[in-house]
Amino acid sequence: MNGAVVPGTVALLRRNLREGVRSPVIAFIFPVLFPLFLITLVASSYERMAFIPGFPVRPYAAYMAPGLLLFTGMMGSGYSATALMLDAQTGFLDRLRLQPVRPLSILLSRLLFDAIRVIPAVAVVLVVSVVLGARIDHGWLGVLGLLVFCCVWSVAYGGLFYVVALRTGNPQAPLAMAPLSVLLLFASPAAAPPFLLQDWLETVSAWNPFTYVIEGLRALMTGPLEGSTDTALLRAGLVLLVLTVLTQLIVVPSFRRLVED
């Protein structure tokens, strides 16, 4: 597979987008439905939690919004990894060997698809959150920052699914990891501030990388719970960078072996 990386990546990204549009449930619809359910029904049900003395953000929907914006990227994360393994099993990757397409283009097109597919879901959940009382103190620059963080989080978190898919060779294996998103969500300060969590859960939350990405988004929306906005954004950026690099260090050589076998 010889050829330029950029044209091949763009061509395969278009193919991935067409594929996602033809089967939109996991790629585009599922990432919207569950976060919308949480921001409307659950946030309304627990609205009185925001009146607990010391609760940092009101209304409660505004407190939950950062975590749920990121949650959109976690919904359907196994889609691309599963599609990649199906491409291998159906012989599509073998056919690409006959084309001037580099293996890097195949992987980059999947990662870019993961970043792009969350934008409509983030936009919908963000609009509904604002209607329910959420705010973005940093204006349009803050909105742009939210989109960038959500897109990068989708790529970083999705890397875990590529690791499982490429290591097992089973296209169904990534789908079995779906409950991980719920565990990460509720083992973080997404739904309740740390002082309301059990001691053991607060400790788990401190080690949960999702916690620091949430606080980065919260800093852009209603301000950080502690410290400065710059510190919260720096921590979130570092977590995203480390998680992306660590997963790709496994994904890239595993994918290279897949296409060279």
Side-chain angles (χ1 to χ4, degrees):
M1 298 184 206
N2 297 316
V5 172
V6 174
T9 302
V10 172
L12 289 170
L13 176 61
R14 288 175 179 169
R15 182 248 182 189
N16 296 341
L17 289 170
R18 288 195 300 270
E19 185 182 67
V21 171
R22 285 197 297 268
S23 303
V25 175
I26 295 180
F28 295 110
I29 297 176
F30 194 52
V32 178
L33 292 181
F34 198 39
L36 274 184
F37 163 76
L38 291 176
I39 198 67
T40 53
L41 184 58
V42 176
S44 299
S45 300
Y46 290 90
E47 176 59 37
R48 291 186 178 181
M49 183 185 292
F51 294 95
I52 295 174
F55 200 89
V57 178
R58 292 181 185 174
Y60 184 62
Y63 181 83
M64 284 195 73
L68 297 183
L69 290 175
L70 290 167
F71 201 50
T72 59
M74 301 161 82
M75 294 288 93
S77 278
Y79 174 85
S80 288
T82 296
L84 181 64
M85 296 311 301
L86 289 175
D87 282 346
Q89 290 188 351
T90 58
F92 180 75
L93 296 186
D94 292 333
R95 293 197 295 274
L96 285 180
R97 291 171 187 260
L98 305 176
Q99 304 295 326
V101 177
R102 293 190 175 183
L104 180 60
S105 295
I106 302 172
L107 192 56
L108 281 178
S109 69
R110 285 293 177 189
L111 297 178
L112 286 173
F113 175 77
D114 279 339
I116 292 173
R117 75 175 178 84
V118 303
I119 293 177
V122 170
V124 171
V125 175
L126 182 59
V127 168
V128 172
S129 299
V130 171
V131 170
L132 293 175
R135 64 181 193 274
I136 307 168
D137 291 348
H138 288 76
W140 287 108
L141 193 59
V143 173
L144 179 61
L146 294 174
L147 283 174
V148 171
F149 271 112
C150 289
C151 290
V152 178
W153 171 248
S154 179
V155 173
Y157 179 73
L160 299 174
F161 292 75
Y162 283 100
V163 170
V164 171
L166 290 167
R167 286 295 183 179
T168 62
N170 183 352
Q172 304 300 324
L175 301 179
M177 295 174 61
L180 177 63
S181 61
V182 178
L183 293 177
L184 290 176
L185 180 71
F186 288 101
S188 74
F195 76 90
L196 290 179
L197 301 177
Q198 294 278 355
D199 290 344
W200 67 269
L201 191 54
E202 185 176 353
T203 301
V204 172
S205 172
W207 286 92
N208 184 353
F210 190 40
T211 294
Y212 300 97
V213 188
I214 290 173
E215 293 310 319
L217 263 69
R218 198 186 308 284
L220 291 173
M221 298 186 75
T222 55
L225 294 185
E226 60 180 19
S228 68
T229 297
D230 289 344
T231 300
L233 293 177
L234 180 61
R235 287 176 177 170
L238 285 174
V239 167
L240 291 173
L241 177 64
V242 170
L243 183 57
T244 301
V245 170
L246 285 179
T247 52
Q248 294 307 312
L249 283 176
I250 302 173
V251 168
V252 172
S254 299
F255 177 70
R256 185 179 296 125
R257 282 196 295 272
L258 176 71
V259 296
E260 290 177 351
D261 282 345

